[in-house]
Amino acid sequence: GIQVEQSPPDLILQEGANSTLRCNFSDSVNNLQWFHQNPWGQLINLFYIPSGTKQNGRLSATTVATERYSLLYISSSQTTDSGVYFCAVVRAGNNRKLIWGLGTSLAVNP
Amino acid sequence: NAGVTQTPKFQVLKTGQSMTLQCAQDMNHEYMSWYRQDPGMGLRLIHYSVGAGITDQGEVPNGYNVSRSTTEDFPLRLLSAAPSQTSVYFCASRAGVITDTQYFGPGTRLTVL
């Protein structure tokens, strides 16, 4: 099956710093999403981005499907950005299941 | 829209008991799924459904049953609870079977003693 690898596994930032999270996947995909799980456990969809670039406030994401990776950029980080960031993909073809990476755990210190 | 709702939020069971976790969505989404999340193991797919009357197994289906009698509801049944089923359970839905954004419920924290 398709492999989804996220890096780094852990990240500690000072408030105001920028960061880049990476998601590598081993096969072509029809669906790629980034999620944020906050410290209270809620999973929030950040981006649906099987290809191209999107921006939402201080967050942006780029997926280069031909090279099988996606990047999530967090600018001017805030303490509320803390939590775990997950990348999940659906392999191309007649597949329906989202396959998940293990996440990047981010802590933003004041 | 209420989005994806789950009940209960917390549950404690004894080994061998059965129970049903409820999940509902009001977005008319075709695809619904159940995950469990355990420390260090990420999210694992238990069962999913691509429409009313259609369900299929995910990665870790043993010990769980599902049904999808309506588009809105997708309950997860634990047949005979075991301590290994202690976990946080998430229900999710998305409009498209393959594409589209996936939305999650708030989760159910289950402890089996």
Side-chain angles (χ1 to χ4, degrees):
Chain A
I2 190 169
Q3 304 299 314
V4 181
E5 296 179 350
Q6 292 186 243
S7 59
D10 301 282
L11 188 58
I12 299 174
L13 299 175
Q14 286 300 120
E15 204 167 21
N18 303 329
S19 63
T20 301
L21 281 57
R22 187 176 181 101
C23 172
N24 291 334
F25 44 96
S26 59
D27 206 342
S28 300
V29 299
N30 283 333
N31 185 336
L32 187 147
Q33 298 181 45
W34 284 96
F35 294 89
H36 177 220
Q37 187 168 36
N38 64 26
W40 297 270
Q42 181 65 35
L43 279 157
I44 305 296
N45 180 277
L46 298 174
F47 294 102
Y48 168 73
I49 188 165
S51 63
T53 297
K54 290 186 178 180
Q55 181 156 6
N56 185 4
R58 295 181 297 104
L59 273 61
S60 64
T62 295
T63 297
V64 183
T66 52
E67 297 187 20
R68 298 182 182 168
Y69 72 89
S70 183
L71 302 174
L72 177 69
Y73 304 98
I74 304 173
S75 64
S76 303
S77 58
Q78 301 176 357
T79 56
T80 53
D81 295 331
S82 296
V84 182
Y85 290 81
F86 290 102
C87 170
V89 305
V90 175
R91 187 166 65 89
N94 193 25
N95 296 290
R96 293 94 179 264
K97 303 174 190 177
L98 265 177
I99 306 300
W100 293 74
L102 291 181
T104 291
S105 179
L106 174 64
V108 181
N109 295 326
Chain B
N1 281 352
V4 182
T5 58
Q6 290 183 238
T7 56
K9 291 187 177 179
F10 301 94
Q11 183 70 47
V12 179
L13 293 177
K14 295 181 179 178
T15 297
Q17 287 184 313
S18 62
M19 79 158 294
T20 299
L21 307 184
Q22 301 292 343
C23 174
Q25 51 90 11
D26 61 357
M27 299 174 281
N28 200 33
H29 284 174
E30 288 187 76
Y31 183 93
M32 296 185 74
S33 53
W34 277 101
Y35 294 87
R36 60 178 289 173
Q37 187 177 33
D38 303 293
M41 301 190 74
L43 282 94
R44 292 184 291 170
L45 182 66
I46 304 171
H47 285 285
Y48 67 98
S49 169
V50 299
I54 306 169
T55 64
D56 206 346
Q57 296 181 350
E59 304 169 66
V60 288
N62 292 343
Y64 307 95
N65 273 358
V66 291
S67 59
R68 184 102 178 264
S69 56
T70 66
T71 299
E72 295 78 19
D73 300 300
F74 190 45
L76 177 72
R77 280 180 284 278
L78 280 70
L79 309 173
S80 177
S84 61
Q85 294 178 305
T86 294
S87 188
V88 180
Y89 291 84
F90 289 97
C91 179
S93 75
R94 65 179 187 252
V97 171
I98 295 175
T99 57
D100 288 323
T101 299
Q102 183 149 304
Y103 298 92
F104 281 86
T108 296
R109 187 173 295 273
L110 176 68
T111 301
V112 183
L113 303 175

